[in-house]
């Protein structure tokens, strides 16, 4: 047996269908590209059809098999319809990546109900709704992988983002609970918790010299993460290489959670 053949089978995703939410840009698009590069057919989901089309065209130009699905993860009817249409139009969903998320920043004592509700509806409720919809088919087929996107803020707090941290901390326990309930049906559920990455959501922080200086000094690897550095974690958790890994949160953070 050649080692390259063995590794190809272990990490390859040929013949599988991956559905990624919040995938028109940023981390979601990076996850989608990584799974496609490993051989999966990918459906990228998001609220804006024009942005999805642009992202899909970019991936198809690279030779990947990609479809788009307009989905609002906060709306049960939208979620159920998008999952059903994707499975009917492409293939049963083998891999789900719950990446859709938003951020709201304000001191906790002035944080509005509207911002709290919007953040939880996307970051937490959305993960539940999309997972519930996709898991039904996975349970019937007795196989499937769900990857939830958490954050370094699931274990570390910072001023002005307490609700975001709370939503991501909840994802850790939701991931464990899903793994505990669905493992008997052949469904694995894990989470990836990125540290600080250069994304559109973090553009203002990247441009802030004081914050970037603090961050790079605080991070053992002394830099921001690049979104491409999440590819390996996603492919690993989605593949047979992680066939006995479930209920875990994998921190990809340059070591920031390992030091004081």
């Amino acid at each position: 047996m050649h080692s390259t053949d063995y590794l190809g089978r272990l990490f390859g995703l040929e013949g599988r269908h991956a559905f990624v939410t919040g995938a028109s840009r940023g981390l979601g698009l990076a996850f989608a590209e990584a799974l496609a590069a490993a051989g999966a057919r990918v459906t990228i989901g998001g609220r804006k059809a024009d942005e999805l089309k642009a992202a899909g065209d970019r991936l198809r130009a690279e030779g990947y098999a990609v479809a788009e699905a307009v989905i609002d993860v906060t709306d049960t009817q939208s979620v159920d319809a998008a999952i059903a249409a994707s499975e009917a139009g492409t293939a049963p969903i083998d891999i789900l990546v719950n990446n859709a998320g938003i951020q709201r920043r304000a001191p906790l004592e002035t944080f509005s109900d509207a911002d709290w509700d919007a953040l939880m509806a996307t970051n937490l409720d959305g993960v539940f709704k999309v997972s519930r919809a996709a898991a039904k088919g996975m349970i019937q087929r007795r196989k499937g992988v769900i990857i939830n996107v958490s954050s370094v803020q699931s274990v570390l707090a910072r001023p002005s983002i307490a609700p975001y941290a709370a939503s991501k901390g909840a994802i850790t326990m939701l991931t464990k609970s899903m793994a505990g309930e669905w493992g008997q049906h052949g469904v694995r559920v894990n989470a990836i918790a990125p540290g600080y990455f250069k994304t559109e959501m973090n553009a203002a922080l990247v441009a802030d010299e004081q914050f970037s200086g603090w961050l790079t000094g605080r991070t053992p690897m002394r830099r921001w993460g690049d979104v491409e550095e999440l590819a390996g974690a996603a492919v690993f958790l989605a593949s047979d290489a992680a066939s006995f890994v479930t209920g875990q949160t994998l921190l990809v953070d340059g070591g920031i959670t390992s030091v004081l």
Side-chain angles (χ1 to χ4, degrees):
M1 178 188 297
H2 294 292
S3 61
T4 52
D5 294 339
Y6 172 70
L7 290 175
R9 286 194 295 273
L10 200 60
F11 289 94
L13 301 177
E14 290 81 4
R16 303 182 201 185
H17 175 207
F19 191 106
V20 185
T21 68
S24 62
R25 58 186 177 179
L27 299 186
L29 184 56
F31 287 131
E33 186 169 9
L35 297 173
R41 287 175 290 177
V42 177
T43 298
I44 54 173
R47 291 183 296 111
K48 299 179 179 178
D50 56 339
E51 293 183 3
L52 285 174
K53 178 66 164 53
D57 286 345
R58 190 193 111 182
L59 293 176
R60 283 186 288 270
E62 297 175 19
Y64 301 132
V66 179
E68 296 107 44
V70 175
I71 182 172
D72 179 353
V73 302
T74 70
D75 181 82
T76 299
Q77 185 174 359
S78 172
V79 167
D80 291 348
I83 294 298
S86 182
E87 294 208 315
T90 299
I93 294 171
D94 302 294
I95 302 160
L96 169 66
V97 181
N98 284 307
N99 173 73
I102 62 173
Q103 176 67 287
R104 298 283 189 272
R105 292 183 172 90
L108 189 55
E109 69 274 15
T110 65
F111 212 90
S112 71
D113 286 355
D115 280 344
W116 174 279
D117 291 344
L119 192 149
M120 292 299 171
T122 298
N123 294 7
L124 182 56
D125 299 354
V127 172
F128 161 66
K129 291 178 179 181
V130 181
S131 296
R132 178 180 60 185
K136 292 175 182 177
M138 293 179 177
I139 289 169
Q140 289 178 349
R141 296 185 295 274
R142 299 198 61 79
K143 65 175 183 177
V145 174
I146 297 174
I147 301 172
N148 298 324
V149 179
S150 183
S151 167
V152 69
Q153 265 80 46
S154 65
V155 293
L156 294 176
R158 274 191 57 77
S160 82
I161 58 168
Y164 180 84
S167 73
K168 293 302 185 178
I171 291 298
T172 297
M173 289 310 302
L174 184 58
T175 297
K176 289 178 181 289
S177 298
M178 288 176 174
E181 291 204 26
W182 297 338
Q184 63 185 315
H185 303 297
V187 180
R188 295 190 296 105
V189 187
N190 293 289
I192 295 175
Y196 284 87
F197 281 75
K198 295 176 183 176
T199 64
E200 292 182 25
M201 183 183 289
N202 286 331
L205 295 178
V206 175
D208 185 329
E209 292 184 6
Q210 183 176 359
F211 182 87
S212 282
W214 169 83
L215 176 66
T216 54
R218 173 77 172 75
T219 303
M221 295 192 73
R222 296 294 187 266
R223 62 180 176 83
W224 287 81
D226 293 315
V227 293
E228 293 80 7
E229 292 177 295
L230 289 165
V235 171
F236 165 65
L237 291 176
S239 74
D240 291 341
S243 60
F244 202 54
V245 179
T246 195
Q248 304 304 307
T249 295
L250 175 57
L251 285 148
V252 185
D253 65 356
I256 196 170
T257 56
S258 299
V259 297
L260 289 173

